[in-house]
């Protein structure tokens, strides 16, 4: 593995290249958001047939921001990805993009389809296209307000409640009781910081993003929406289904849940062997 940096407007991105010499397969770029490259460690070990690139999005992990902005938008992340792919100099790439990374990947393809051969967009939390759009967006706003009022632990407790909810978000979500942050191993005291990469920088812009479906339908890129076999009914799973419907396609079911590619990173244990096998199948189709 070799590690590189790329200066982009307002940030310095860090990315890692695991080169497989002699491979004729397109380079595979793995992207999350706000998750950094470490979340793909287990999956990378299971991909040995092609060069794999991972990166830390601006504000995450090693990629420090210098723009002084409060939030990062999917369009800004998409521009970072555009510049990263150009810097790789390898022609159209394949992308596995998960969660907020899937939102950013779709934004990239809408603008620069020539850079991406296949995009596998795994469970984008695309609240704007859900049938219960208004309730879902209001719940996200409540999480953000909780973060601003009470800090990380209280916000994370509500975030877990929303993201694990099966079915439509109730209109009175903000008034419903949630578990204590301590029950999730989260801090109950507010440390006063408000620069968390999820709650402070990406939560609102990611979930509220309005995709350019006309551009996506017209793109030369093959777009595959992926959803987890064990996450049916959850917001991100429903987002994947809704985006696929808007594109006139059917989502592809991958093993496990929202973190199905993980082997324990961030405390999430999925099925990385099964996930890697399904990814190879989809990319070779």
């Amino acid at each position: 593995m070799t590690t590189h940096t790329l200066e982009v407007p307002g940030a310095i991105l860090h990315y890692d290249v695991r080169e497989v010499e002699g491979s004729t397969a397109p380079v595979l770029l793995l992207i999350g958001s706000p998750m950094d490259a470490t979340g793909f460690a287990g999956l990378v070990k299971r991909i040995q047939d092609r060069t794999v690139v991972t990166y830390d999005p601006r504000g995450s992990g090693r990629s420090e921001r210098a723009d002084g902005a409060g939030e990062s938008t999917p369009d800004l992340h998409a521009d970072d990805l555009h510049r990263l792919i150009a810097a790789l100099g390898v022609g159209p790439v394949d992308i596995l993009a998960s969660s907020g990374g899937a939102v950013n990947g779709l934004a990239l393809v809408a603008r620069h389809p020539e850079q991406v051969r296949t995009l596998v967009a795994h469970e984008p939390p695309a609240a704007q296209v859900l049938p219960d759009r208004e309730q879902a967006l209001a719940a996200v706003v409540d999480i953000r307000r909780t973060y601003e009022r009470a800090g990380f632990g209280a916000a994370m407790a509500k975030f877990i409640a929303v993201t694990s909810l099966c079915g439509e978000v109730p209109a009175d979500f903000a008034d419903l009781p949630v578990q204590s942050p301590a029950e999730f191993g989260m801090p109950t005291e507010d440390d006063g910081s408000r620069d968390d990469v999820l709650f402070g920088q990406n939560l609102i812009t990611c979930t509220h993003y309005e995709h350019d479906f006309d551009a996506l339908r017209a793109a030369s890129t093959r777009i595959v929406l992926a959803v987890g076999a064990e996450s049916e009914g959850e917001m991100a799973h429903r987002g994947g289904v809704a985006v696929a419907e808007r594109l006139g396609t059917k989502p592809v079911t991958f093993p496990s849940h929202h973190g199905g590619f993980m082997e324990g990173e961030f405390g999430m244990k999925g099925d990385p062997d099964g996930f890697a096998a399904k990814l190879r199948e989809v990319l070779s189709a």
Side-chain angles (χ1 to χ4, degrees), residues 213-220:
F213 288 105
D214 288 338
L216 291 171
R217 284 188 289 267
S220 56

Side-chain angles (χ1 to χ4, degrees), residues 117-120 222 224 226 252-254 276-285:
R117 188 192 74 145
T118 299
L119 168 67
V120 180
R222 174 176 169 243
V224 179
V252 175
T253 300
F254 272 58
K278 187 65 177 181
L279 180 60
R280 282 192 293 270
E281 174 190 322
V282 169
L283 293 178
S284 64

Side-chain angles (χ1 to χ4, degrees), residues 213-276:
F213 288 105
D214 288 338
L216 291 171
R217 284 188 289 267
S220 56
T221 303
R222 174 176 169 243
I223 303 172
V224 179
L225 273 297
V227 294
E230 299 173 15
S231 57
E232 185 174 358
E234 296 176 2
M235 182 187 290
H237 182 117
R238 295 193 297 122
V241 172
V243 171
E245 183 177 350
R246 292 290 295 271
L247 295 178
T249 64
K250 298 289 186 182
V252 175
T253 300
F254 272 58
S256 196
H257 45 63
H258 189 63
F261 50 86
M262 294 184 176
E263 64 173 1
E265 299 92 339
F266 303 107
M268 297 188 73
K269 175 65 175 175
D271 178 9
D273 289 320
F275 196 100

